[in-house]
């Protein structure tokens, strides 16, 4: 297996969807090719860093605002019954 | 008197003798019941579905459009369209995959509107060979992200993924960030499984190459 063959199998290798014979060849190649070893290591870290650090915030305030807007649009279609009003704060006398 | 409690499978096969065994293999996804209730006009059930998937839909839209306001509009439109078309959802795929598919279409449409002179599609820029062959073989420092503040790191990750063509960015977002399977990603995007794999490889390699500027041991931008 050369580097080009290895790259062609990289996605299956990461996703654990590689048959055992091919996996042995991939591992053998990785043991002898430092460049491919670096590519595997840094690609894995690339995936991990994106999974571990969501760059976009999703605050509760945004969630609530969007949900209420969607539900209002849905109710306006007449397909949903009017829900009872949420408990409002007692009006002071 | 001790009696054994019949399993749900025994009950079902008693009730429906001709039921094929594979029907009993897996319990239905909890969304199935929520969708059925929402179809019957249960607002709380639909609101629960929004709660479950709003974050995923918002992030997917923001990754594709790279614009927070667009992502907010798209998220609302996705759930409203889903509500309007609930009757068309037959349960052949997961409800979440169905939502993602709507979100991807809405997001690409938004990109097209923004770039009126340019066609934006899942195929845009994917014909190039850029980034399909690794060129940077520098090792990264251990835990390289720890050399940056949360805000700096978020900016690096945003800038880096924003540089990918939409077709690659979308596949990477669904498969690696939102954790859809390759098959679900293919279904959500209307692509074949080999096309998803090919784009995923190139997306991963291009992101790796770009992040190496910040995380590599000997790079200029590294701290």
């Amino acid at each position: 297996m050369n580097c080009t063959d290895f790259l062609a199998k990289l996605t299956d290798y990461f996703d654990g969807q590689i048959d055992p014979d091919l996996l042995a060849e991939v591992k053998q190649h990785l043991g002898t090719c430092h460049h491919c070893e670096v590519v595997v290591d840094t690609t894995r870290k690339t995936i991990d860093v994106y999974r571990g650090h969501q760059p976009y915030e999703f605050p509760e305030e945004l969630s609530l605002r969007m949900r209420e807007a969607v539900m209002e649009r849905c109710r306006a279609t007449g397909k949903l019954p009017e829900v009872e009003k949420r408990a409002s704060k007692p009006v002071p006398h | 008197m001790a009696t054994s409690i019949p399993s749900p499978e025994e009950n079902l096969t008693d009730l429906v003798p001709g039921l094929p065994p594979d029907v009993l293999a897996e319990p239905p996804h909890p969304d199935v019941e929520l969708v059925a209730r929402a179809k019957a006009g249960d607002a709380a059930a639909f609101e629960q579905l929004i709660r479950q998937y709003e974050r995923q839909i918002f992030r997917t839209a923001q990754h594709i459009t790279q614009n927070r306001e667009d992502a907010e509009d798209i998220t609302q439109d996705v759930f409203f369209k889903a509500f309007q078309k609930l009757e068309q959802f037959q349960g052949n795929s997961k409800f979440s995959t169905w939502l993602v598919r709507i979100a991807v279409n809405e997001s690409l449409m938004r990109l097209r509107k923004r770039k009126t002179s340019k066609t934006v599609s899942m195929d845009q820029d994917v014909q190039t060979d850029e980034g399909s062959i690794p060129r940077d073989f520098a090792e990264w420092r251990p835990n390289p992200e720890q050399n940056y503040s949360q805000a700096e790191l978020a900016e690096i990750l945003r800038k880096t993924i924003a540089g990918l063509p939409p077709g690659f960015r979308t596949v990477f977002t669904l498969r690696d960030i939102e954790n859809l399977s390759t098959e679900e990603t293919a279904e959500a995007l209307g692509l074949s499984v080999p096309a998803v794999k090919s784009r995923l490889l190139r997306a991963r390699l291009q992101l790796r190459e770009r992040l190496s500027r910040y995380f590599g041991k000997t790079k200029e931008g590294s701290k």
Side-chain angles (χ1 to χ4, degrees), chain B residues 165-183:
Chain B
F168 291 176
R169 200 159 71 213
T170 307
V171 169
F172 181 82
T173 299
L174 298 187
R175 183 70 190 81
D176 281 341
I177 301 182
E178 298 303 335
N179 231 357
L180 269 67
S181 70
T182 304
E183 289 72 19

Side-chain angles (χ1 to χ4, degrees), chain A residues 51-70:
Chain A
R51 279 197 182 146
H53 302 84
Q54 275 292 340
Y56 302 125
E57 290 175 0
F58 189 70
E60 181 55 32
E61 168 273 327
L62 173 64
S63 154
L64 190 65
R65 178 155 47 86
M66 287 200 306
R67 212 178 317 130
E68 285 184 348
V70 174

